[in-house]
Amino acid sequence: MTCKHIYLISFLSTFFRLQDQRIEEEENGQQSNIPVEITPEQKEFLIEQARVIKNHLDSFEQEFNNPANEFFYIISAAWLRLWKKYTSFENVVANTEVDPQHFGQVPPGKVNEDIVRTDPKFSLYPDLDDYRNVFLKEEMQEKVDYELITPALWSYISEKYEGITIKRPVFTTPNGMRFIEVNLKQVNV
């Protein structure tokens, strides 16, 4: 185990213990307005996440136009908003002080659970991990309900947060335009 892994385990253990304590207080009718205290190492860990993800988000257009990238990923816009609060993303990228009310307080939860449809009446591919087995809920809209992200960004996020992978292929038209088919066709059984 590397030093980063040991630190991450320690960070998460402390964080979830404090979160459980806050939940218990709220269930017992106690209002917990006391923010979870985070260490300087935890603060730097979250700030680093914000900086790395900012760089990935900035490179989307370039990565999308790279023909070597055959797949892109979908991420819940709601999850991303919660994560941005959790890491004080806007403050970090603006090089201003983090928001103590939200920074490091409530983690964003599992990625993509809110936008995925689980409906057994549709055919599944034999390989359960196949991207064609994951369907978005109906009427999901880009920039409102989900965002497209690069493979590198999905890899980074999925190393740190649990969730559902939503992978989609990139198609190129005869005139060279690239597009992503977000809503897969569903076949009734």
Side-chain angles (χ1 to χ4, degrees):
M1 220 184 272
T2 66
C3 187
K4 268 189 174 179
H5 288 110
I6 293 169
Y7 165 74
L8 181 58
I9 291 168
S10 172
F11 169 75
L12 292 174
S13 173
T14 302
F15 180 81
F16 288 120
R17 181 180 48 78
L18 291 170
Q19 287 299 97
D20 289 344
Q21 181 181 343
R22 290 177 75 188
I23 290 168
E24 186 177 316
E25 288 173 358
E26 289 174 7
E27 286 174 350
N28 291 331
Q30 300 168 341
Q31 191 69 8
S32 180
N33 293 328
I34 302 168
V36 174
E37 288 191 38
I38 59 173
T39 67
E41 293 83 16
Q42 293 165 333
K43 181 177 181 178
E44 190 54 41
F45 179 76
L46 293 174
I47 289 172
E48 180 63 18
Q49 274 188 44
R51 289 180 179 144
V52 168
I53 289 180
K54 169 73 168 126
N55 290 337
H56 282 292
L57 291 172
D58 288 347
S59 71
F60 179 83
E61 195 70 33
Q62 179 182 355
E63 292 294 319
F64 183 74
N65 291 318
N66 180 349
N69 288 323
E70 297 177 352
F71 287 91
F72 278 80
Y73 292 79
I74 295 172
I75 192 165
S76 162
W79 185 91
L80 202 51
R81 283 189 295 274
L82 290 172
W83 174 85
K84 284 180 175 183
K85 276 187 179 181
Y86 177 61
T87 61
S88 204
F89 180 79
E90 299 301 333
N91 298 70
V92 170
V93 299
N95 286 320
T96 60
E97 191 59 37
V98 298
D99 175 5
Q101 183 180 358
H102 297 105
F103 183 75
Q105 297 302 303
V106 180
K110 291 186 178 180
V111 186
N112 292 336
E113 284 189 325
D114 60 320
I115 62 173
V116 171
R117 179 179 179 177
T118 54
D119 193 335
K121 70 180 180 179
F122 294 103
S123 294
L124 296 178
Y125 286 82
D127 177 3
L128 294 180
D129 291 331
D130 191 298
Y131 74 88
R132 295 168 290 187
N133 287 330
V134 182
F135 297 97
L136 293 182
K137 291 179 179 175
E138 292 184 24
E139 306 199 20
M140 292 276 122
Q141 299 175 6
E142 186 177 356
K143 305 281 187 211
V144 175
D145 302 300
Y146 67 87
E147 299 279 343
L148 296 170
I149 60 174
T150 64
L153 178 50
W154 176 254
S155 177
Y156 184 81
I157 289 173
S158 65
E159 286 176 4
K160 298 183 177 6
Y161 299 93
E162 234 183 287
I164 300 168
T165 301
I166 308 173
K167 178 179 173 179
R168 294 295 186 259
V170 177
F171 297 98
T172 305
T173 63
N175 66 356
M177 279 188 51
R178 291 170 56 88
F179 69 95
I180 297 171
E181 186 66 42
V182 172
N183 294 306
L184 301 177
K185 306 296 181 225
Q186 300 173 346
V187 180
N188 286 326
V189 185

